[in-house]
Amino acid sequence: MSETFTPPAAPPKAPATTTKHPPNWLKIVATAVLLVVLLLLPVIVGNGGVAYLKLAQYILIGAVGGIGLTLLVGQAGQLSLAHPFFLLVGAVGYAVLAGDPEESDDLVGLGLPPLVAVIGAIVLCGLVGLAFAPVAGRLRGIYLGVASLSLVFLGLWLGQSLDMFSGGTSSGRNAPVFALFGFEFANSTPAPTIAGVAIQKQQRLWYLFLAFALISYFLARGAVNSRIGRSWRAVRDNEAAATSMGVHVTRVKAGAFVISSAFAGLAGVMTALWLDLVKPDENEFTGTYSLTVAIAFLAVVIIGGLGSVPGAVIGAALVFGLQQFFLLGSQQFGWFADAAFGGFSAVVVSAFVYGAAIVLVILFEPGGMAAIGRRLLARRRSPDVPSTDDGGRTTPREDRS
Amino acid sequence: MNTFLQLLVNGLGKGAVYALLALGFVIIFKATEVVNFAHGSLVLVGGYLVYELKDALGWVLAAVIGIVGAALAALLIERVLLRNARSADHNSLALLTIGIDVIITEEVVRRVGADIPFIGDPYDSQPIQIGDLTVFRTQAIALVVGAVLITAFLLTFRYSNWGVAMRAQAENREAAALMGINSSRVTATAWLVAGALAGVAVLFMATQDFSGAGLGRGTHAIALIAFPAAILGGLDSTEGAVVGGIVVGLTEALSAQYISFEFSKSAVFLVMLVVLVIRPSGLFGTKELSRV
């Protein structure tokens, strides 16, 4: 068995070559347009299109969690299936920290300001990740993957038994309303408007999620391009070599786990706000914090191209977006209407699509969406510049023993 | 004391089934270094065939077809998909099997529908009374069948030409190929045998006596419990798979009784974690060494 869980050959991004080229105007313009579209999305879909806004919010949840997992799996080479557990810890942590102490006698709520609660939930997830680090640091590859699976089962059990925190499986508990400096992310009358569109709860949450996602994105990009990212990749490629170059392997592995858990914690907070409810799963294979979600996040990372931060965002759009898209279709346009149970429901179809996407990506494009994107960008460059980019396989991974 | 004895028998019965599944993981891993995350879906394929055919053909014939079907499904996965992913390394292939697992499982669950049937059994399903002991017949039969199959496998693995070829390939793929071992055939038989074992296991798993989970996601999840069994025994050890299966079966039965039913699955994983912290490559697994 190989040294660590080694993802398919996919360097995190086309190394330094991009900076030698003149600024890629297409890329800059595309980014600007994308940002404007994202900022104006509530206006574009209008007040009638809240369902689309919810869909887009869900993609951002997947993106934040997926970015965290791609750092761990793709950059640091540590396979983990524990993401749903950290989502659950994040969601419950936020509900407990921000929850109204007076709400119910059976539920614990500390009544902290929501922003403090969000940060607290993220820190809590990081600490839980740190607690698992001694195990994670000792194990490699598939052993770590299955070991991390135990956290999902543990989370299921804890969620069911500690109902003073989680609210229990039957009713759950309300997600505390997020508020920032007195501005509540809830419906209000009168609501402020942008171009005639009332900015109500869902619109406000969209901007909140967008901010969370952008912060996550840039933090992750920063980490990948910095010393931290280099140490992750060194550990992924060859632990022995990394050690001899002065990398503290156990500490780096633990750090990757902590950071990835913290991202998952934020995604968990977002999940609580999105569902407006914190409710632990009833079983291990379906639900918000279940094995299905563990696989979905892994699919995000694989489809995106292991280790690529932009890839994880695209992967999230495919995996999380498609599922919501099919659900939306079934609710609004009567798709899959003849499929009551045991038919091609939205969940079944989206599972087929991303299951097939995993298979196809690994068969034909191990670098995932990120490699496809890089190839498209490379093609646009002037042909007289010999491109070293062959679709994410620029650096042959022959450094492995 | 009687409860304890009874739990012991139940735990061993379940453990034998987990051992069959874990053995499947280990055989595939030994021959190809691929961890087959799609093992749970092979279980479902076998069970689904039995469920569909048992009324028309009778249970025994349906069971045979189910076993063969699961074996062929495994072979198909290997021949059609894994063989063609030449550029990918073993870890990518493990991820590929996750994709396969998602698709097959969704499809079987969709076909079976809301009822989540049990596949039934040909034997009288009355519990056996031995003194004060009440033993579920399914688990007693599972124990016997499991013991026979596992012994037969271990003997074959040790003494037959096929076993020698398998072990040679597990030891060093290139050297084995140079010595005239047909690596493609070894790989194919490994997947066939693993699939067949999964097909046998499901005959016990999707019955009322085993866990109350019918043919559906529940049974798929039980197959997942066999994962800790393979891991804690050591992924590359056939004996380890058997020991792991028994440890997992006993842990589940005892913790369900003495702690709580909900906790029993977590207990299995916790036991695995403890073993892994002490021995990172499982009880019988080969320790990885890196030469610097």
Side-chain angles (χ1 to χ4, degrees):
Chain A
M1 209 163 149
S2 61
E3 289 260 297
T4 46
F5 171 79
T6 313
K13 59 199 283 283
T17 50
T18 31
T19 50
K20 286 176 195 157
H21 293 287
N24 189 333
W25 289 108
L26 181 79
K27 199 174 168 183
I28 293 167
V29 171
T31 313
V33 169
L34 183 66
L35 266 181
V36 171
V37 168
L38 289 178
L39 282 175
L40 290 181
L41 192 67
V43 179
I44 296 170
V45 300
N47 275 80
V50 172
Y52 298 100
L53 212 50
K54 291 281 284 186
L55 187 160
Q57 289 169 359
Y58 198 62
I59 294 178
L60 293 183
I61 297 176
V64 170
I67 288 172
L69 195 63
T70 212
L71 295 181
L72 184 66
V73 178
Q75 289 280 329
Q78 308 288 303
L79 179 59
S80 168
L81 289 163
H83 237 45
F85 169 73
F86 291 106
L87 290 187
L88 179 64
V89 173
V92 172
Y94 171 70
V96 169
L97 292 174
D100 182 2
E102 310 293 314
E103 183 189 340
S104 147
D105 292 338
D106 306 327
L107 294 172
V108 178
L110 301 181
L112 294 174
L115 186 62
V116 177
V118 170
I119 296 170
I122 296 172
V123 171
L124 178 69
C125 279
L127 289 177
V128 175
L130 189 64
F132 191 68
V135 181
R138 278 178 71 79
L139 302 178
R140 287 169 176 173
I142 298 299
Y143 285 89
L144 177 57
V146 178
S148 64
L149 209 54
S150 54
L151 289 181
V152 178
F153 283 85
L154 201 63
L156 178 78
W157 179 68
L158 290 175
Q160 286 172 345
S161 12
L162 302 176
D163 44 9
M164 71 278 220
F165 297 129
S166 68
T169 45
S170 53
S171 61
R173 67 186 291 175
N174 294 328
V177 172
F178 189 81
L180 203 56
F181 310 119
F183 181 75
E184 288 206 333
F185 287 74
N187 285 337
S188 72
T189 40
T193 57
I194 299 178
V197 173
I199 302 301
Q200 289 288 22
K201 181 178 182 180
Q202 294 309 328
Q203 286 80 5
R204 296 175 195 187
L205 277 183
W206 164 253
Y207 287 114
L208 180 69
F209 282 17
L210 192 58
F212 282 156
L214 287 174
I215 293 170
S216 306
Y217 182 87
F218 287 110
L219 280 179
R221 284 298 289 263
V224 166
N225 290 327
S226 72
R227 199 185 148 87
I228 304 173
R230 273 200 303 283
S231 65
W232 283 340
R233 292 190 292 279
V235 168
R236 173 193 72 188
D237 290 346
N238 190 327
E239 283 188 18
T243 311
S244 70
M245 286 189 283
V247 175
H248 195 307
V249 171
T250 359
R251 198 179 294 161
V252 168
K253 279 185 175 178
F257 217 88
V258 168
I259 289 176
S260 157
S261 315
F263 274 97
L266 178 58
V269 174
M270 291 163 77
T271 309
L273 292 172
W274 188 78
L275 289 170
D276 211 1
L277 180 73
V278 176
K279 186 169 165 300
D281 292 336
E282 282 159 23
N283 58 47
E284 63 271 40
F285 28 87
T286 50
T288 324
Y289 313 102
S290 64
L291 291 174
T292 316
V293 176
I295 306 283
F297 271 113
L298 205 55
V300 166
V301 170
I302 297 168
I303 293 170
L306 286 142
S308 161
V309 177
V313 178
I314 300 173
L318 273 176
V319 174
F320 284 74
L322 216 52
Q323 186 207 342
Q324 287 300 309
F325 179 68
F326 286 137
L327 273 177
L328 193 67
S330 65
Q331 285 156 7
Q332 300 217 324
F333 315 122
W335 295 351
F336 323 114
D338 47 340
F341 194 97
F344 290 100
S345 68
V347 178
V348 172
V349 174
S350 67
F352 280 166
V353 172
Y354 80 73
I358 295 178
V359 173
L360 292 176
V361 162
I362 291 178
L363 278 182
F364 300 114
E365 184 54 275
M369 291 299 157
I372 295 173
R374 270 196 294 275
R375 192 176 301 154
L376 289 178
L377 282 177
R379 190 165 296 165
R380 258 201 37 81
R381 288 186 199 125
S382 54
D384 52 357
V385 182
S387 172
T388 51
D389 200 322
D390 63 343
R393 266 161 286 181
T394 29
T395 41
R397 302 167 58 90
E398 275 149 12
D399 49 344
R400 291 179 43 224
S401 54
Chain B
M1 196 59 206
N2 275 337
T3 336
F4 183 74
L5 270 180
Q6 200 165 318
L7 288 173
L8 224 52
V9 178
N10 292 354
L12 284 174
K14 283 188 166 189
V17 175
Y18 292 144
L20 288 176
L21 293 169
L23 204 54
F25 287 128
V26 169
I27 295 168
I28 290 176
F29 182 79
K30 263 186 107 74
T32 62
E33 288 193 35
V34 172
V35 176
N36 178 24
F37 278 100
H39 217 69
S41 63
L42 293 178
V43 166
L44 287 185
V45 168
Y48 177 71
L49 285 174
V50 181
Y51 160 71
E52 282 288 320
L53 298 174
K54 68 180 162 117
D55 290 338
L57 302 175
W59 194 90
V60 176
L61 194 55
V64 172
I65 294 179
I67 295 168
V68 173
L72 289 179
L75 183 69
L76 210 64
I77 292 174
E78 197 275 325
R79 289 286 116 157
V80 174
L81 293 171
L82 298 189
R83 253 171 86 88
N84 291 318
R86 288 179 197 282
S87 61
D89 63 7
H90 307 307
N91 289 314
S92 317
L93 293 181
L95 300 180
L96 180 97
T97 59
I98 291 184
I100 299 168
D101 187 62
V102 169
I103 297 174
I104 299 182
T105 306
E106 281 302 331
E107 177 60 13
V108 172
V109 168
R110 184 187 73 77
R111 279 169 180 269
V112 168
D115 309 334
I116 311 187
F118 294 104
I119 58 175
D121 39 45
Y123 35 84
D124 180 11
S125 56
Q126 287 301 308
I128 312 166
Q129 285 287 347
I130 310 170
D132 291 344
L133 280 179
T134 317
V135 179
F136 286 123
R137 206 166 284 242
T138 306
Q139 301 195 347
I141 294 176
L143 188 55
V144 174
V145 171
V148 169
L149 278 182
I150 289 168
T151 315
F153 171 81
L154 290 180
L155 289 176
T156 318
F157 195 66
R158 185 119 211 101
Y159 297 111
S160 76
N161 284 340
W162 175 75
V164 174
M166 267 282 286
R167 282 180 290 137
Q169 178 162 334
E171 203 66 42
N172 186 332
R173 209 183 176 84
E174 279 84 26
L178 286 173
M179 300 304 283
I181 285 170
N182 185 339
S183 114
S184 159
R185 193 185 298 157
V186 171
T187 306
T189 41
W191 279 80
L192 268 177
V193 170
L197 290 180
V200 174
V202 73
L203 300 178
F204 304 111
M205 288 160 73
T207 59
Q208 249 133 345
D209 288 356
F210 192 79
S211 65
L215 189 65
R217 288 188 198 282
T219 293
H220 185 261
I222 296 173
L224 213 75
I225 298 277
F227 229 133
I231 292 273
L232 79 82
L235 255 182
D236 59 353
S237 161
T238 43
E239 291 83 4
V242 180
V243 174
I246 291 167
V247 169
V248 163
L250 288 176
T251 308
E252 201 186 21
L254 294 175
S255 59
Q257 172 74 26
Y258 293 115
I259 304 173
S260 79
F261 178 72
E262 288 76 27
F263 185 68
S264 60
K265 271 179 194 146
S266 306
V268 168
F269 278 93
L270 285 180
V271 167
M272 178 196 71
L273 275 188
V274 171
V275 170
L276 283 185
V277 167
I278 299 165
R279 291 186 63 98
S281 38
L283 290 173
F284 298 89
T286 319
K287 202 169 181 316
E288 282 174 56
L289 296 172
S290 60
R291 198 160 44 176
V292 183

